[in-house]
Amino acid sequence: MTTTMPFPIEFVIPDGWRAPSAREAETPDGVVAAVHPEQAATITAAGELMAGETGLPEIADHAIAMLRRSGAHVEVLSRTEVGTPDSPGLAQILLVGPETVQCQAFLAMVDVEDSRKRAVLRIVLTTSRDHVEALVGDFQRFLGTVRLATGEAAQPAPRPEERPVPRHTRAVAPGENT
């Protein structure tokens, strides 16, 4: 599936999840990439092209500040830098209010044509405290399939259980009917 953002990304929706309806697709936090109908959970994707040296910890701090500006009480449960110098990432888990958990992943990818520019993705799993443990593995598998779209359908990374994996499909733009 591909989202519409400043740059398109491709990903595979985990088993048990579904693509959002047109009504569910847009939120202030980004584009809804997947919905878990039984667990009242979403995975959203947002991204921007950035120049300069703003680090992922500062970008993650800004995400927390935006949540707090909306009136939410936010507690940082964990934060870990991941990835490599060429492809850095940051993961943080937030308690938003008394019952909502957000697992946020920030991924930076350098522009192959201009190393001063980079794409920064923010992928967020939002669910309740009761469901986060059951869904975090799905979120990790989802993150393993996220790639910048190349314009051609590409085979996603193999799943651990080595079942055949469907090829990427293109998502319809919000508001279009399928």
Side-chain angles (χ1 to χ4, degrees):
M1 179 162 289
T2 303
T3 67
T4 54
M5 294 190 309
F7 45 86
I9 62 172
E10 297 177 335
F11 51 84
V12 175
I13 295 175
D15 291 338
W17 293 71
R18 65 172 174 77
S21 68
R23 183 178 54 79
E24 297 169 317
E26 294 284 338
T27 73
D29 298 327
V31 176
V32 176
V35 175
H36 197 291
E38 295 171 13
Q39 307 292 352
T42 60
I43 297 174
T44 57
E48 61 184 296
L49 296 172
M50 301 183 79
E53 296 298 319
T54 304
L56 292 179
E58 291 84 11
I59 294 168
D61 288 343
H62 178 71
I64 293 168
M66 295 301 291
L67 284 169
R68 288 181 174 148
R69 277 191 215 121
S70 74
H73 173 76
V74 180
E75 181 182 345
V76 179
L77 301 177
S78 70
R79 180 182 274 189
T80 306
E81 291 191 43
V82 296
T84 65
D86 292 337
S87 185
L90 184 138
Q92 64 184 13
I93 301 175
L94 310 176
L95 180 61
V96 183
E99 293 299 321
T100 302
V101 174
Q102 283 195 353
C103 300
Q104 298 183 340
F106 298 85
L107 309 170
M109 294 172 238
V110 176
D111 185 323
V112 294
E113 294 178 12
D114 184 350
S115 63
R116 295 170 297 178
K117 295 180 188 175
R118 62 190 172 142
V120 177
L121 299 172
R122 180 177 49 127
I123 313 290
V124 179
L125 165 66
T126 303
T127 191
S128 71
R129 288 179 95 157
D130 295 339
H131 296 124
V132 70
E133 283 187 41
L135 299 176
V136 75
D138 290 348
F139 184 57
Q140 291 169 332
R141 283 185 289 281
F142 177 88
L143 290 171
T145 69
V146 174
R147 290 172 181 47
L148 291 176
T150 60
E152 39 183 85
Q155 187 70 26
R159 295 184 180 176
E161 60 270 15
E162 298 183 7
R163 290 184 300 174
V165 179
R167 296 181 64 81
H168 289 292
T169 59
R170 299 281 178 216
V172 295
E176 288 183 7
N177 293 325
T178 55

